[in-house]
Amino acid sequence: MSDTPVTLITGGGSGIGAATARQLLAKGQRVAVVGRGKERLDTFAKEAGEPDELLTIQGDAADWDFVQNAVQTTVERFGRLDAAVGNAGWASHDDIAEGDPAKWREMVLTNVLGPALLVRAALPALKETRGRLVLVGSVAGHVYAAGNIYGITKFAVTALAENTRRQVTADGVGVTLISPGRTETPFWDEYGALPDGLLLSADQVADTIVYALGQPSGVDVNTIVIRPIGQPV
């Protein structure tokens, strides 16, 4: 079995997940990218040069059977799993007073259940390698905003990361919560335009994820909040 690190990334077809996958591939590592959209995954793989070190898996990160299978497929393909990055997520961009409840179910399943399922499915393999979990939260998961349903889901991810850390640290598994501020990704597509002001790039957030994954054995960086200059909250 090769000792070249293997990372599985959910929501990896675009944005922060894709940027992280590109950086890891550039380091000579092996990466499994999970995403819902086949077209996005195919485009990403083509742009990456379709290397043998890349595995793309289409499916729903909030479906238990699929997540189990994605982890199993990754281990069967590469022989190990050293890290799992729970990045899949989206926002309904509404509020609890006037929002559309029909949208909330999918958001809660993707943003909260999804990373919890990844933790559950990946832990046995990560215990074997004394690997790492990275959960991508949000500044919205630390700062209260009136009626923000998306923020509620990201507060749950903040809790999930710390609860998981306490559960698995004795097993040698590291857990890091990465909470970005405003970032230029497809997150804003529904608005039709990016918000005003400076935004982080997907690569800048990916730099932080790769930093957490690259910590030496025995070091566990737990929470990183990253904002663009000019974002006050």
Side-chain angles (χ1 to χ4, degrees), residues 107 187 199:
M107 182 170 61
F187 177 89
L199 276 68

Side-chain angles (χ1 to χ4, degrees), residues 34-114:
V34 172
R36 284 190 179 186
K38 184 177 187 302
E39 184 176 348
R40 276 187 174 178
L41 290 175
D42 290 346
T43 298
F44 173 74
K46 184 176 181 179
E47 291 175 348
E50 300 182 329
D52 291 340
E53 294 81 10
L54 174 64
L55 171 66
T56 59
I57 310 171
Q58 181 190 8
D60 182 357
D63 179 88
W64 173 233
D65 290 338
F66 168 73
V67 175
Q68 281 185 298
N69 183 67
V71 171
Q72 182 180 349
T73 300
T74 301
V75 173
E76 289 175 352
R77 167 73 175 269
F78 295 128
R80 60 188 294 148
L81 182 66
D82 298 272
V85 178
N87 172 68
W90 72 283
S92 59
H93 299 294
D94 57 9
D95 64 60
I96 201 165
E98 298 179 351
D100 180 2
K103 297 180 180 179
W104 298 349
R105 179 180 177 83
E106 183 180 356
M107 182 170 61
V108 171
L109 290 175
T110 301
N111 294 6
V112 182
L113 180 62

Side-chain angles (χ1 to χ4, degrees), residues 12-214:
S14 63
I16 293 168
T20 303
R22 282 193 294 268
Q23 290 193 21
L24 293 173
L25 289 168
K27 289 177 174 290
Q29 298 188 21
R30 297 174 290 173
V31 183
V33 170
V34 172
R36 284 190 179 186
K38 184 177 187 302
E39 184 176 348
R40 276 187 174 178
L41 290 175
D42 290 346
T43 298
F44 173 74
K46 184 176 181 179
E47 291 175 348
E50 300 182 329
D52 291 340
E53 294 81 10
L54 174 64
L55 171 66
T56 59
I57 310 171
Q58 181 190 8
D60 182 357
D63 179 88
W64 173 233
D65 290 338
F66 168 73
V67 175
Q68 281 185 298
N69 183 67
V71 171
Q72 182 180 349
T73 300
T74 301
V75 173
E76 289 175 352
R77 167 73 175 269
F78 295 128
R80 60 188 294 148
L81 182 66
D82 298 272
V85 178
N87 172 68
W90 72 283
S92 59
H93 299 294
D94 57 9
D95 64 60
I96 201 165
E98 298 179 351
D100 180 2
K103 297 180 180 179
W104 298 349
R105 179 180 177 83
E106 183 180 356
M107 182 170 61
V108 171
L109 290 175
T110 301
N111 294 6
V112 182
L113 180 62
L117 294 180
L118 179 64
V119 170
R120 176 65 178 84
L123 269 181
L126 294 176
K127 288 178 181 179
E128 290 186 15
T129 58
R130 300 180 74 84
R132 297 186 184 276
L133 282 160
V134 172
L135 301 183
V136 178
S138 171
V139 165
H142 299 269
V143 178
Y144 292 102
N148 188 332
I149 296 289
Y150 173 75
I152 292 168
T153 69
K154 290 302 185 177
F155 263 95
V157 176
T158 299
L160 174 63
E162 175 59 12
N163 289 2
T164 300
R165 185 196 68 78
R166 296 186 183 200
Q167 178 82 45
V168 304
T169 189
D171 298 310
V173 177
V175 180
T176 303
L177 172 70
I178 306 287
S179 296
R182 295 187 303 243
T183 306
E184 187 175 350
T185 71
F187 177 89
W188 304 103
D189 287 354
E190 185 175 323
Y191 282 114
L194 296 172
D196 294 335
L198 183 67
L199 276 68
L200 298 169
S201 70
D203 271 313
Q204 288 169 328
V205 180
D207 287 341
T208 308
I209 295 172
V210 173
Y211 163 80
L213 294 176

Side-chain angles (χ1 to χ4, degrees), residues 217-228:
S217 177
V219 176
D220 192 14
V221 177
N222 301 130
T223 302
I224 301 175
V225 179
I226 173 174
R227 293 177 173 89

